[in-house]
Amino acid sequence: MDYLDKIKKIIAFLEQNDAQDYANKISEVQLSACTGGELLSSVTHTLLQIVKQDERIKKLIGKDVWELKSYCHSIGLIVK
């Protein structure tokens, strides 16, 4: 999986669907990461928190977030 592309698409989708605050939050987390593993786990964690809090966003990107979480688990990253 090209997780960077997946994250980029999620951010773009959030921007297109009047969720700029969430898109900005994900971009900030992405920029603060030092390694690829840290980026993947921290962005996935943040996305999981967002979809748990906001049902509308869950409907928009929930499937993509679950795919990222599954990918994390497949490579040994545990994300809660």
Side-chain angles (χ1 to χ4, degrees):
M1 167 189 280
D2 184 351
Y3 66 87
L4 293 175
D5 186 52
K6 173 75 82 177
I7 293 167
K8 182 179 173 182
K9 288 179 181 177
I10 289 171
I11 291 170
F13 193 74
L14 290 170
E15 290 171 342
Q16 294 167 359
N17 286 279
D18 298 321
Q20 187 65 47
D21 290 343
Y22 290 136
N24 290 341
K25 185 174 184 175
I26 297 304
S27 294
E28 289 172 13
V29 170
Q30 186 178 18
L31 291 173
S32 69
C34 295
T35 66
E38 182 183 356
L39 183 148
L40 178 58
S41 62
S42 60
V43 167
T44 303
H45 172 76
T46 303
L47 285 167
L48 286 166
Q49 297 305 309
I50 290 170
V51 298
K52 287 179 184 176
Q53 295 172 3
D54 192 320
E55 191 64 32
R56 182 179 80 90
I57 299 301
K58 182 178 181 178
K59 290 177 184 175
L60 292 173
I61 63 168
K63 181 182 177 202
D64 293 320
V65 174
W66 302 131
E67 286 177 9
L68 279 175
K69 182 179 179 186
S70 293
Y71 179 69
C72 287
H73 285 280
S74 76
I75 61 170
L77 291 174
I78 305 303
V79 182
K80 296 181 181 182

